Amino acid sequence: MKGSDMKKVLAFSLMLIAILCAAACKSEESESITAPATDVSGTQSDEEALTSFDSQEASSSAEDIKASDAEDTPSETPTPTPTPFPELTLYLRDLFAEHGMKCGTAITSTNITFEKSAELIDKQFNSITLGNGMKPDAIINKTESIKAGDIVVKFPMDTVNMLDWAKEHGMALRGHTLIWHEQTPSWIFYEDFDTSKSLVSREVMLSRMESFIRQVFEEIEARGYSDMLYAYDVANECVLETGELRDTKWRQVIGDDYLKYAFTYARKYAPEHVDLYYNDYNEQQKTVAFKNLIETLKDDNGNYLLDGIGLQAHLYTNDSLMLYLVSLDKLAETGLKLQLTELDICLGSYNNYAKASEYNFKLQAKMYMDLIGGIFERVDAGTLNMDAVTIWGVTDGLSWRAGGSPLLFDNNYQPKPSFYGVMQMKDEAGITW
Ligand code: GLA
């Protein structure tokens, strides 16, 4: 082959290689464009779809919009960022204030870490309960207790941060809770705080109980939270549907009168303006049990040792609202204050959540509307002494009963029909019957 021919062949080969390379790259590119990015096979359960919808799908669709904008729009044209949080200008706390009441929520630090969530809580609510932050296992310090030979109360940083946030945002505070069978370290009931030793005597436990309650109120005072505190769940979930006292360590060690002591100590150390509550669940089934228990909590002059009854109000859309309101009326006859302290209404029934469908959300909205409407009517008529309703959480996904979608806001902080139900806005809630 001549030198010039040789050059031609070489040039031709190089060209061929270049063409083949380009074709190969193109086909890789088109494969990656057409390959499905997500599994759209529909294998998610309703519950998974529900819990993942708000948090993941919404954010990925926002990302999708940004990505396609970036491809199609010349770079010099600014792309409007979609705002997933349109301003809500209706406020729960304003509506409750019209009836002389507060509207509260329960928080963990997650709720106030995210700006949008913190902003929503700040705007909608004016009372805070710490979901876990003031429970015995959060505030009793084991090392210090062993050192001191007495229960030692020390609010951890997380608790202080949440309380500081609540104070800065002008929130009122519900204390929750002192005497409970759960989230209470078992070692506080034993000799030397050692569970391998024997349970302490009634006298020692009474002294530990008094010391515990005193220190909680001292800590609240020392850290500047006394003024915001307006109610305290001194005791939680102590009675069974049968009317019997629950068999707890407090009861085993001190005896059946342990609640009388708890309320007496709380009255001794709590600021005078703070209402003391007995708090429990299944109130519609436990109405008589509640009433009987409360009758035992009186001083020698026959005066109640407590100011109010806390009704947790963990309800279901299948519950009978009529029965619930009858039970409210019965308990109101005690003359004590009542509060709904942990309100949430799951779709469906106990152990059998219903689907998160449009229809079920409307049923839920109707139940919220009738419950809160019924309370407003009674409060306005003076037959019910209720100064606050607390909803147990903010968005469905972070609820302790997320599977039942029980709250007022979805995971994008958007109001659900249930929000409009509480606001007594029938049309906006889509309740057309
Ligand atoms: C009970 C307690 C609350 C909370 C809920 C579950 O109702 O009183 O503090 O622990 O259970 O979240």
Side-chain angles (χ1 to χ4, degrees):
M1 217 186 284
K2 282 200 295 198
S4 60
D5 287 347
M6 191 65 169
K7 267 189 210 154
K8 269 185 207 156
V9 170
L10 202 64
F12 179 74
S13 312
L14 283 175
M15 218 169 75
L16 201 66
I17 289 168
I19 288 167
L20 285 174
C21 258
C25 291
K26 189 131 184 102
S27 93
E28 257 175 40
E29 228 174 72
S30 67
E31 261 168 38
S32 75
I33 287 167
T34 51
T38 50
D39 174 17
V40 287
S41 59
T43 50
Q44 266 185 328
S45 70
D46 284 339
E47 239 176 71
E48 281 168 339
L50 173 70
T51 45
S52 66
F53 169 74
D54 294 313
S55 53
Q56 293 163 18
E57 233 177 72
S59 69
S60 75
S61 64
E63 274 163 25
D64 290 344
I65 293 169
K66 270 189 230 143
S68 64
D69 279 352
E71 275 165 23
D72 299 337
T73 321
S75 58
E76 63 273 14
T77 315
T79 315
T81 318
T83 160
F85 310 113
E87 193 67 32
L88 184 64
T89 51
L90 296 162
Y91 305 112
L92 296 165
R93 63 185 198 167
D94 288 350
L95 176 69
F96 279 77
E98 285 172 26
H99 304 273
M101 300 170 72
K102 295 181 191 49
C103 186
T105 190
I107 61 164
T108 62
S109 39
T110 313
N111 295 114
I112 53 167
T113 305
F114 298 106
E115 203 187 317
K116 282 291 164 194
S117 169
E119 196 183 312
L120 182 71
I121 294 170
D122 182 31
K123 285 188 172 157
Q124 293 294 336
F125 301 101
N126 52 4
S127 168
I128 287 294
T129 305
L130 299 196
N132 292 311
M134 291 173 85
K135 287 177 176 167
D137 64 355
I139 60 173
I140 298 179
N141 185 293
K142 187 168 187 183
T143 318
E144 297 294 323
S145 298
I146 292 170
K147 250 196 260 162
D150 187 12
I151 288 180
V152 172
V153 171
K154 228 175 154 190
F155 284 5
M157 214 31 143
D158 189 52
T159 300
V160 171
N161 287 343
M162 285 186 280
L163 293 176
D164 284 349
W165 182 90
K167 190 176 179 181
E168 270 165 38
H169 291 81
M171 298 283 171
L173 175 67
R174 283 199 94 252
H176 176 79
T177 177
L178 297 170
I179 305 298
W180 193 24
H181 64 289
E182 279 180 23
Q183 291 181 258
T184 299
S186 59
W187 51 264
I188 65 169
F189 300 98
Y190 290 84
E191 299 279 3
D192 300 325
F193 302 114
D194 180 347
T195 51
S196 70
K197 297 192 174 171
S198 32
L199 290 168
V200 294
S201 66
R202 166 181 162 93
E203 285 64 38
V204 170
M205 205 60 225
L206 280 173
S207 142
R208 286 185 183 177
M209 178 193 258
E210 177 166 9
S211 174
F212 167 53
I213 293 175
R214 174 179 50 75
Q215 290 176 64
V216 170
F217 289 109
E218 281 174 359
E219 181 89 339
I220 287 172
E221 173 63 21
R223 292 186 177 273
Y225 308 132
S226 284
D227 288 349
M228 61 198 273
L229 185 70
Y230 72 106
Y232 219 111
D233 291 331
V234 174
N236 197 28
E237 303 177 346
C238 303
V239 76
L240 303 173
E241 279 79 356
T242 56
E244 272 175 296
L245 279 178
R246 188 188 290 278
D247 189 24
T248 70
K249 277 268 180 326
W250 284 111
R251 182 185 173 206
Q252 283 167 25
V253 181
I254 295 176
D256 284 359
D257 54 355
Y258 76 104
L259 285 175
K260 233 176 147 164
Y261 283 94
F263 279 97
T264 305
Y265 297 144
R267 190 66 292 155
K268 186 168 167 191
Y269 298 109
E272 225 175 291
H273 67 269
V274 173
D275 287 334
L276 305 180
Y277 275 79
Y278 173 72
N279 192 49
D280 212 325
Y281 66 93
N282 267 1
E283 48 272 27
Q284 62 282 47
Q285 272 111 48
K286 285 185 186 172
T287 315
V288 176
F290 261 57
K291 277 190 109 172
N292 292 342
L293 174 69
I294 279 148
E295 285 315 305
T296 68
L297 300 176
K298 287 185 168 167
D299 66 15
D300 295 342
N301 302 320
N303 299 318
Y304 283 120
L305 293 166
L306 69 167
D307 303 291
I309 310 174
L311 311 172
Q312 292 188 4
H314 292 304
L315 304 174
Y316 299 88
T317 51
N318 286 4
D319 286 344
S320 156
L321 186 65
M322 207 179 77
L323 190 67
Y324 193 84
L325 291 172
V326 167
S327 128
L328 263 192
D329 291 336
K330 284 267 155 251
L331 292 169
E333 284 169 10
T334 57
L336 292 167
K337 285 186 178 173
L338 302 187
Q339 279 189 4
L340 301 195
T341 54
E342 306 182 15
L343 173 64
D344 53 7
I345 305 180
C346 284
L347 305 179
S349 55
Y350 180 64
N351 270 345
N352 193 14
Y353 290 145
K355 225 168 73 193
S357 64
E358 204 182 318
Y359 177 72
N360 285 333
F361 279 139
K362 284 182 188 178
L363 277 185
Q364 183 185 47
K366 172 96 172 92
M367 185 135 169
Y368 268 111
M369 186 174 89
D370 292 347
L371 172 62
I372 299 300
I375 286 173
F376 287 160
E377 264 172 39
R378 287 164 170 76
V379 167
D380 295 348
T383 60
L384 175 63
N385 188 358
M386 185 179 283
D387 61 357
V389 166
T390 294
I391 295 158
W392 201 249
V394 185
T395 53
D396 278 345
L398 288 182
S399 160
W400 70 301
R401 311 200 288 171
S405 314
L407 298 174
L408 308 189
F409 297 94
D410 70 20
N411 297 352
N412 279 328
Y413 313 105
Q414 295 303 303
K416 292 168 52 191
S418 49
F419 169 83
Y420 295 104
V422 174
M423 292 299 295
Q424 309 297 298
M425 299 170 79
K426 205 169 184 277
D427 293 342
E428 287 75 358
I431 306 167
T432 46
W433 65 91

